[in-house]
Amino acid sequence: QVQLVESGGGSVQAGGSLTLSCEASGFTYGTYCMAWFRHVPGKEREGVAGIDTDGTTNYAASVKGRFTISKDKAKNTLYLQMNSLKPEDTAMYYCAAEVALPCTAVAGFQDYAIDYWGKGALVTISS
């Protein structure tokens, strides 16, 4: 059974940093494409960052240069390093996994095609 468990959410002031983690069980990161999405109530869920099986990454324009996605295969853990945080980054952040190559859901941030979701981690940025 696949499980994704996020951690590392919290509250920081604008300009600060946070690192989210997503620990996986039931599969290994080497075989799945992974992504982070975020959601604010009243708005559509949006893709933030993705990483495919060979380590190629993609980012939303709004976070490029500030956020970094990475994975540790030995720990089966996905990370999202978030720097220079802004109040508009406030959201629930979700870890997501896509099973099938060529991982179009991750590359295109197509949330409807994601196979597995974590329960989310809340990130709150104050001004």
Side-chain angles (χ1 to χ4, degrees):
Q1 182 180 357
V2 173
Q3 279 192 317
L4 302 173
V5 180
E6 300 94 338
S7 61
S11 299
V12 297
Q13 289 191 324
S17 299
L18 278 175
T19 300
L20 300 180
S21 301
C22 174
E23 188 170 350
S25 58
F27 72 97
T28 57
Y29 277 125
T31 57
Y32 284 25
C33 292
M34 304 297 300
W36 291 96
F37 285 76
R38 64 187 182 187
H39 182 243
V40 175
K43 295 185 178 181
E44 290 190 359
R45 183 164 48 193
E46 64 169 338
V48 174
I51 186 166
D52 68 13
T53 54
D54 68 3
T56 300
T57 59
N58 58 297
Y59 296 93
S62 59
V63 306
K64 200 167 187 178
R66 300 189 297 122
F67 290 13
T68 302
I69 187 171
S70 61
K71 58 184 177 182
D72 186 328
K73 292 181 182 180
K75 296 182 179 179
N76 228 26
T77 300
L78 180 74
Y79 302 98
L80 184 68
Q81 173 68 44
M82 305 183 290
N83 298 325
S84 302
L85 284 160
K86 304 175 181 180
E88 51 264 43
D89 294 319
T90 295
M92 186 71 81
Y93 283 72
Y94 296 91
C95 178
E98 180 182 8
V99 176
L101 294 175
C103 296
T104 53
V106 166
F109 293 136
Q110 298 166 347
D111 59 351
Y112 55 85
I114 291 293
D115 297 296
Y116 300 101
W117 293 95
K119 293 186 177 181
L122 182 62
V123 172
T124 304
I125 312 302
S126 58
S127 57

